[in-house]
Amino acid sequence: KLNSLCFLVSYVCLMAMTLLVVTDITLRSFFASNIPGATEISKYLLVIIGFFGLMIAQASKVNVAVVVLLDRLPSSARHFIGKMNIVIMILFSILFAYSGMLTAISAHAEKESDWFGEFILPTWFLRIVVPIGFGFLILQLLTDIREKNGEKPKVHEEPRL
């Protein structure tokens, strides 16, 4: 399942970043040495965790929601607003994925690179994480809207006060 793959990639990146940062700090504190490029690598691992985490958060339904007004609406209105929310999120995700893809293409054309400690390494390929992350989010949102189309709002539910 794609959701499991995103979770695994995020988990591995988080563990690698944690190990890298702790080792780097330990080396600096006790041996006056460091891991060349540790900060830069951690920065890119954090980006991967964040953008792959979008799909995980959406699939787990752990996004922040303000339900003070929503809970007071009838079920059919909540159902409609939920669908519209997903459609709007899909549209913005397409926009961000497209923009990210343009940035990745531009970075590749310019052969973008960055210092990793004492070395200069290409970083243009890391730019593709943004459109991939938003692509996974779009797939999850499409799954969510398909599920919402299958469920029917309760007809006779009274609004909560």
Side-chain angles (χ1 to χ4, degrees):
K1 200 173 181 182
L2 198 53
N3 192 11
S4 298
L5 176 66
C6 286
F7 179 80
L8 179 65
V9 169
S10 294
Y11 180 80
V12 168
C13 287
L14 181 61
M15 291 299 106
M17 187 174 74
T18 303
L19 182 64
L20 186 64
V21 169
V22 168
T23 304
D24 190 50
I25 290 171
T26 303
L27 286 172
R28 277 189 278 140
S29 298
F30 296 109
F31 302 105
S33 180
N34 67 343
I35 299 172
T39 304
E40 293 81 3
I41 293 169
S42 296
K43 176 175 62 173
Y44 289 111
L45 289 173
L46 185 61
V47 170
I48 293 169
I49 293 166
F51 283 101
F52 277 50
L54 290 172
M55 180 184 189
I56 298 166
Q58 180 63 31
S60 304
K61 307 293 186 257
V62 294
N63 293 330
V64 176
V66 180
V67 294
V68 174
L69 295 175
L70 198 61
D71 281 351
R72 297 177 189 268
L73 295 174
S75 178
S76 58
R78 284 196 310 265
H79 190 74
F80 175 76
I81 290 171
K83 282 184 181 180
M84 291 309 299
N85 184 31
I86 292 173
V87 169
I88 291 168
M89 287 173 52
I90 289 171
L91 293 175
F92 274 101
S93 295
I94 289 170
L95 177 70
F96 291 141
Y98 177 72
S99 175
M101 183 56 73
L102 292 179
T103 301
I105 291 168
S106 173
H108 178 266
E110 296 171 7
K111 302 295 184 216
E112 182 180 271
S113 58
D114 198 2
W115 284 96
F116 283 83
E118 302 166 0
F119 308 102
I120 296 178
L121 296 174
T123 56
W124 56 264
F125 62 90
L126 294 167
R127 298 285 183 175
I128 199 75
V129 170
V130 174
I132 288 173
F134 275 110
F136 288 157
L137 176 61
I138 291 166
L139 290 175
Q140 182 59 50
L141 290 168
L142 291 171
T143 301
D144 291 351
I145 204 159
R146 190 183 71 209
E147 289 171 1
K148 278 205 175 288
N149 282 336
E151 71 183 43
K152 299 291 182 210
K154 296 175 186 144
V155 179
H156 297 293
E157 185 179 325
E158 292 294 321
R160 295 183 224 169
L161 298 175

